[in-house]
């Protein structure tokens, strides 16, 4: 990844050779370009948030699904510095697309520095964890040897001191040959000192002391294959970075240097794991003995999940209802009154109220839910607990080709798919993150529960609870089946690897930085997902506002659904569902609005029958009779079987438009379109299979 002056007051961020011809993101022009390098869970992103504040954005590296954070740091001198927070990695010998992006960024910086006739003003900040230096020094050495000027940011100093393992920054700086700045970004400390150190190195990069590791100058060049594609996990030749004897020998030499540094800076009676040579355990060690045992750890994890869903229900639910009431009540009444005073035509009133305001209301009503889920995820991650969840779930997730960090998004998906997709950010590998994101829409969210309750109470009155439970079993089976199919096709190159993760020490989350992070995530969701939601809302309104007969005008609020273009479209696609037993326009109309929001399926069924929406899980007798008559006619006498096929279709087919918008934000339009198309096809095949095979046994 590279940063280039465009000549028009901006900086372009690309992906080296692999990003040629791809779109780039622009930032305000700055003299310095800084990359943040570090292993996962080292505090790198927290430092990035401290330095950039709200002046940051998320962007995908061209031709990959890897996202990076790019921001602007306003220095005390008034200069603005561009910073890129690179994906966490343990070395510059990449084994995943995320690590490939980081390795390429360092390699590109080194090339541009070597090619610059004057000072290039390109620097790297390598973040080291004071509680586990051994896991970070190898990456530091590789970055230094690439030729990029480096400043070290030493994090977790308070945790190291509490565990009895102290690190002297000056002693460490002499051993590393580079400035070492103690930081505590969670408390807002270290930014000024880091700025001063970067300024010194930028003015005199030659003052850095060379590392006495290799005698051969050629050995200090970058280890990254310059022709490798960041979208792939290996180099174009198919040879992994450490497969040659020469590279293995270099790695052995680097590890030897790491050992020497640790022996030099660490007293003889202390170890790098935070305990003394006598075996004194830290508070984190003692807590892990409890939480990492399945007998205790799994119930604790389930309790954490229950608390998350309980907070979502008890806190966000009323707030969502209040916001929705505010939009549909005072806001709608006020806008309608103004339009009436202006003698606006009825179609304009309908467009504004039923299209624009309804779309805005959808976005606004989801913000409390997103804020609570974001808060919980950040709390779990910042406290260090999320890494423990990954360890406990790793064995089960390995069967899907994923590691343990995928369990949290998949489980959250049963509450709501939208924050579950956002939770995939905790998975460091891009391909595993993408695979998890493609599986999440098959987690049966609570919005689908409304559909199950209605149809189960109508068609299976004596076994409604069993039927609803069976739908969640079906959801789990679909996730397993889709995961298996994807692993054998599009993700067949995804290699199962053991989970390698450094367990950070437990720490108290800092609510100041947490609040800023949640606000940034929510505002990003509102901006990006809001565009998609408003567009779809306006599209549905357009279909329902345009009449197909001469008896009604455009936007006529009294027009029956069947007389609109929406009703005509529903009738046109109804035959597609005849093999599944529910080829009726009422049903297909509900599936169209179900794409906007799954809760709308029940409301649309009631609307198309000319009734008010029923209470959750309770069907009025007339609606029950109408549904029975419809499914009986469309299925030729197998209404319960057709209802079961319909429920499975609602489970599997495209999730709500907000979920689709979040998928597009995270993974791009092409992948989202493939996911949507695949889910519709799979839903149709399953529904047809259930109905056609079921008829053979009834």
């Amino acid at each position: 990844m590279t940063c280039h002056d465009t000549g028009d007051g901006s900086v372009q961020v690309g992906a080296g050779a692999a990003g040629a011809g791809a779109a780039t993101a622009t930032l305000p022009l700055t003299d310095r370009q800084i990359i943040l390098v570090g292993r996962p869970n080292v505090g790198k992103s927290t430092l990035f948030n401290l330095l950039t504040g709200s002046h940051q954005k998320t962007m995908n590296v061209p031709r990959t699904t890897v996202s990076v954070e790019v921001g602007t740091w306003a220095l005390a001198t008034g200069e603005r510095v561009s910073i890129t927070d690179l994906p966490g990695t343990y070395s510059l010998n990449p084994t995943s697309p995320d690590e490939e992006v980081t390795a390429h960024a360092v390699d590109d910086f080194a090339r541009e520095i070597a090619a610059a006739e004057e000072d290039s003003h390109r620097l790297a900040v390598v973040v080291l964890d004071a509680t586990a230096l051994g896991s970070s020094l190898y990456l530091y050495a590789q970055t230094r040897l690439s030729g990029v000027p480096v400043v070290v940011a030493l994090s977790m100093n308070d945790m190291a001191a509490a565990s009895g393992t102290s690190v002297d920054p000056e002693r460490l700086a002499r051993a590393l040959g580079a400035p070492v700045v103690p930081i505590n970004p969670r408390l807002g400390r270290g930014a000024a000192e880091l700025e001063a150190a970067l300024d010194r190195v930028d003015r005199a990069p030659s003052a850095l002391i060379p590392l006495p590791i290799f005698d051969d100058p050629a050995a200090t060049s970058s280890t990254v294959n310059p022709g490798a594609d960041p979208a792939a996990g290996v180099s174009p030749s198919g040879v992994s970075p450490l497969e040659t004897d020469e590279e293995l020998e270099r790695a052995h030499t680097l590890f030897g240097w790491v050992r020497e540094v640790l022996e030099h800076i660490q007293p003889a009676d202390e170890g790098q794991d935070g305990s003394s040579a006598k075996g004194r355990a830290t508070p984190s060690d003692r807590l892990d003995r409890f939480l990492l045992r399945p007998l205790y750890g799994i119930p604790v994890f389930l309790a954490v999940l229950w608390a998350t869903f309980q907070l979502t229900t008890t806190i966000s639910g009323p707030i969502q209802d209040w916001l929705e009431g505010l939009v549909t009540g005072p806001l709608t009444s006020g806008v309608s009154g103004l339009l009436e005073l202006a003698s606006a035509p009825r179609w304009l009133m309908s467009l504004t109220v039923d299209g624009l305001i309804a779309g805005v209301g959808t976005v606004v009503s989801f913000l409390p839910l997103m804020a609570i889920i974001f808060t919980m995820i950040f709390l779990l991650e910042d406290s260090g607990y999320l890494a423990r969840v990954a360890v406990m779930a790793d064995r089960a997730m390995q069967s899907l080709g994923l590691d343990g960090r995928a369990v949290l998004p998949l489980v959250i998906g049963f509450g709501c798919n939208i924050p579950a997709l956002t939770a995939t950010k905790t998975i460091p590998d891009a391909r595993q993150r993408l695979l998890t994101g493609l599986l999440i829409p098959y987690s049966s969210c609570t919005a689908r529960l409304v559909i199950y309750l209605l149809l189960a109470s109508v068609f299976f009155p004596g076994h409604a609870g069993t039927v609803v439970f069976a739908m969640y079993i079906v959801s789990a089976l679909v996730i397993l089946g889709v995961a298996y199919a994807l692993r054998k096709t599009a993700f067949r190159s995804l290699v199962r690897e053991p989970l390698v993760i450094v367990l950070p020490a437990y720490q108290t989350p800092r609510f100041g930085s947490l609040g800023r992070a949640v606000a940034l995530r929510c505002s990003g969701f509102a901006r990006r997902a809001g565009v998609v939601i408003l567009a779809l809302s306006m599209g549905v309104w357009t279909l329902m506002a345009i009449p197909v007969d001469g008896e009604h005008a455009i936007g006529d609020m009294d027009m029956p659904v069947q007389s609109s273009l929406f009703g005509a479209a529903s009738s046109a696609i109804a035959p597609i569902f005849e093999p599944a037993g529910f080829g009726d326009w009422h049903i297909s109309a509900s599936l169209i609005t179900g794409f906007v929001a799954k809760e709308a399926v029940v409301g649309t069924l009631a609307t198309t029958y000319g009734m008010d929406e029923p209470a959750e899980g309770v069907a009025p007798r007339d609606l029950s009779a109408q549904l029975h008559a419809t499914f009986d006619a469309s299925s030729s006498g197998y209404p319960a079987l057709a209802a079961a096929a319909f429920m499975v279709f609602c489970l599997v087919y495209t999730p709500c438009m907000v979920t689709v918008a979040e998928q597009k934000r995270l993974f791009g339009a092409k992948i989202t379109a493939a996911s949507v198309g695949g889910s519709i096809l799979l839903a149709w095949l399953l529904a047809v299979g259930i109905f056609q095979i079921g008829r053979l046994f009834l």
Side-chain angles (χ1 to χ4, degrees), residues 495-657:
V495 180
R496 291 186 184 182
E497 296 180 352
L499 176 64
V500 178
I501 184 172
V502 175
L503 294 180
Y506 290 101
Q507 53 191 331
T508 303
R510 298 296 172 180
F511 294 97
S513 58
L514 184 145
R516 289 192 297 270
V518 170
L520 285 170
R521 295 295 184 192
C522 288
S523 61
F525 166 81
R527 288 194 309 269
R528 299 180 184 183
V531 174
V532 177
I533 295 169
L534 287 175
L536 289 172
S537 297
M538 299 295 286
V540 171
W541 175 88
T542 301
L543 292 175
M544 298 187 73
I546 300 176
V548 292
D549 55 33
E551 299 180 5
H552 300 89
I554 294 178
D556 188 349
M557 297 181 181
D558 299 323
M559 178 172 53
V561 175
Q562 196 171 12
S563 300
S564 67
L565 186 58
F566 177 79
S570 302
S571 299
I573 66 173
I576 297 176
F577 302 108
E578 288 181 357
F582 48 88
D584 181 88
W585 81 269
H586 299 85
I587 310 301
S588 57
S590 70
L591 292 176
I592 293 175
T593 57
F595 176 74
V596 178
K598 285 295 181 285
E599 304 93 326
V601 169
V602 175
T604 302
L605 286 172
T607 300
T608 55
Y609 289 124
M611 302 177 180
D612 294 331
E613 183 174 352
E616 181 176 319
V618 180
R621 182 176 302 174
D622 290 343
L623 178 59
S624 176
Q626 291 279 17
L627 288 172
H628 263 290
T630 297
F631 277 93
D632 187 64
S634 62
S635 64
S636 301
Y638 298 93
L641 186 59
F646 178 70
M647 284 191 287
V648 171
F649 189 93
C650 290
L651 163 66
V652 178
Y653 93 109
T654 309
C656 68
M657 63 179 177

Side-chain angles (χ1 to χ4, degrees), residues 311-327:
L311 282 172
T312 302
T313 304
T314 58
I315 297 180
S316 73
I319 298 176
Q320 284 183 285
D321 293 339
W322 179 79
L323 288 173
E324 187 176 355
L326 183 65
V327 172

